[in-house]
Amino acid sequence: MMAPQKRSAEEAESLLVGVRCIVFDIEGTTTPISFVKDTLYPYVRNNIEDYLNKNFENADLQKAIAALRDQAAKEKEEKVEGVVEIPSGDASKEDVVKAVCDNVRWQMDGDRKTTELKALQGMIWNDAYESTEIKGELFEDVGPMLKMLAEEGFQLYVYSSGSIESQKLLFTYSSQGDLSDVFAGYFDTTTGSKNESASYKKIATEIGNEPKDILFLTDIPQEAEAAVSAGLRSALVIRPGNAELTDEHLQNFACIERFDELYGDEDDEDDIKRFAGDNGEAEDDEDEEEEGDEEDDDGEEDDGEDA
């Protein structure tokens, strides 16, 4: 028995019908997961101590350290296992730097996505991008399609677990040139968890559009489900290196492998319904009517019907 295939947008009418705004996830959607895991994260691990020592007196850095300190103290009270506390501001520079390094590496080991961690990571990546040590990696279709969508009047936004600063850096210093001007705004975890519908309701309110007019593109089914429960449309993006989707996910959501598939074809209404979060069965009336039209003049059915 063949496994169910993804509900391809190539079979569907354009998934952009009725859409005014498109919100993009980054990791696994516009950018390979390998770039984040193999380039960005190792850069922080390898350079955090040097960065802290060089910029220790910087007011923004001290603010980021204070946020990490408060977060660690709160988690200590909550008895979070393994949390690394950070000494107060009157401790020696060496002690503070060591504790921050240990705290950050501990959080990264646990693949945590706290706002406090992301803020400091973004500051470190800022140096890397500006010095051209790093360029933001994008899938080949991303740059051209972002420009086309923006030129056609769609409002484009980013919603990622990475800080807003790091999001801007990735698209400003991308491998496909400066794409920052195509976006109307950015959202991160200060808006809320990407797995909670309330976050998407907040985004819709800030954007100023009805949720039904907003499309969210992500590689994570739980995020797509949260967006749909908030009234947004959502489609899953299948990219090399992403986690494999289940048959249920492939059937319940429209899925694309490239952004140009958003334009699709013009004859699969079921995909549009799934894309909008409606998993109900399509009505059969139109199909039955079409079957009646397919008989040729001598009463035989046309053999050219698509399977």
Side-chain angles (χ1 to χ4, degrees):
M1 180 178 176
M2 292 180 62
Q5 296 181 350
K6 75 182 180 74
R7 299 296 302 177
S8 172
E10 293 174 332
E11 303 170 359
E13 181 184 351
S14 169
L15 300 182
L16 298 174
V17 172
V19 170
R20 295 184 178 183
C21 306
I22 307 174
V23 180
F24 295 86
D25 170 50
I26 290 181
E27 186 178 352
T29 299
T30 66
T31 298
I33 291 176
S34 59
F35 172 70
V36 178
K37 301 294 186 186
D38 299 337
T39 300
L40 291 182
Y41 286 178
Y43 187 89
V44 171
R45 287 182 179 278
N46 296 334
N47 292 275
I48 183 171
E49 184 174 358
D50 184 55
Y51 178 85
L52 292 172
N53 281 318
K54 286 183 178 178
N55 300 279
F56 193 76
E57 303 303 326
N58 179 278
D60 288 336
L61 176 56
Q62 283 298 316
K63 183 178 178 181
I65 292 173
L68 283 169
R69 181 183 294 117
D70 292 343
Q71 177 206 14
K74 178 183 177 183
E75 292 185 336
K76 187 70 173 180
E77 290 181 2
E78 295 170 349
K79 302 188 185 309
V80 175
E81 186 177 354
V83 62
V84 179
E85 291 189 279
I86 299 171
S88 62
D90 57 3
S92 69
K93 174 181 175 180
E94 291 75 15
D95 288 345
V96 173
V97 167
K98 182 181 184 306
V100 171
C101 289
D102 290 345
N103 179 285
V104 166
R105 288 170 180 149
W106 168 72
Q107 292 203 57
M108 292 178 68
D109 286 343
D111 195 28
R112 308 184 83 208
K113 301 183 186 297
T114 64
T115 300
E116 295 82 359
L117 171 65
K118 294 299 180 181
L120 181 55
Q121 287 176 326
M123 296 173 71
I124 297 171
W125 289 328
N126 181 77
D127 274 13
Y129 282 114
E130 290 187 348
S131 67
T132 70
E133 287 185 72
I134 289 177
K135 278 189 176 292
E137 185 178 347
L138 303 174
F139 291 107
E140 63 177 1
D141 60 292
V142 172
M145 286 304 303
L146 289 178
K147 291 177 182 178
M148 179 183 294
L149 290 166
E151 288 172 359
E152 292 185 356
F154 293 98
Q155 289 184 301
L156 309 183
Y157 297 85
V158 176
Y159 182 28
S160 171
S161 59
S163 67
I164 289 175
E165 178 63 23
S166 66
Q167 296 171 25
K168 291 179 178 178
L169 288 168
L170 188 148
F171 289 107
T172 299
Y173 298 97
S174 88
S175 56
Q176 298 174 17
D178 185 353
L179 297 169
S180 59
D181 60 348
V182 305
F183 293 107
Y186 302 82
F187 300 93
D188 62 12
T189 52
T190 58
T191 296
S193 167
K194 295 179 72 182
N195 291 335
E196 296 178 1
S197 62
S199 304
Y200 299 90
K201 291 177 182 177
K202 281 185 183 179
I203 288 174
T205 299
E206 288 199 35
I207 287 175
N209 275 101
E210 291 294 323
K212 65 181 177 59
D213 299 332
I214 303 171
L215 165 62
F216 177 56
L217 298 177
T218 179
D219 63 309
I220 306 297
Q222 292 81 1
E223 295 176 2
E225 289 164 0
V228 167
S229 69
L232 280 69
R233 311 183 190 200
S234 190
L236 293 174
V237 183
I238 301 173
R239 299 286 198 181
N242 287 3
E244 188 173 348
L245 298 174
T246 67
D247 291 344
E248 181 181 2
H249 294 140
L250 294 173
Q251 289 296 303
N252 288 347
F253 289 94
C255 301
I256 60 173
E257 296 178 1
R258 296 172 54 89
F259 288 165
D260 51 11
E261 292 180 23
L262 289 169
Y263 289 91
D265 288 335
E266 299 180 352
D267 57 4
D268 194 333
E269 196 170 317
D270 284 353
D271 265 328
I272 301 300
K273 289 185 176 182
R274 288 184 174 88
F275 155 76
D278 182 352
N279 296 331
E281 296 296 322
E283 294 182 1
D284 294 326
D285 294 348
E286 188 173 333
D287 290 341
E288 291 174 358
E289 183 178 336
E290 288 178 359
E291 285 179 7
D293 294 338
E294 285 168 1
E295 294 188 5
D296 54 27
D297 292 338
D298 60 6
E300 293 182 357
E301 291 188 356
D302 185 359
D303 292 331
E305 177 73 9
D306 289 340

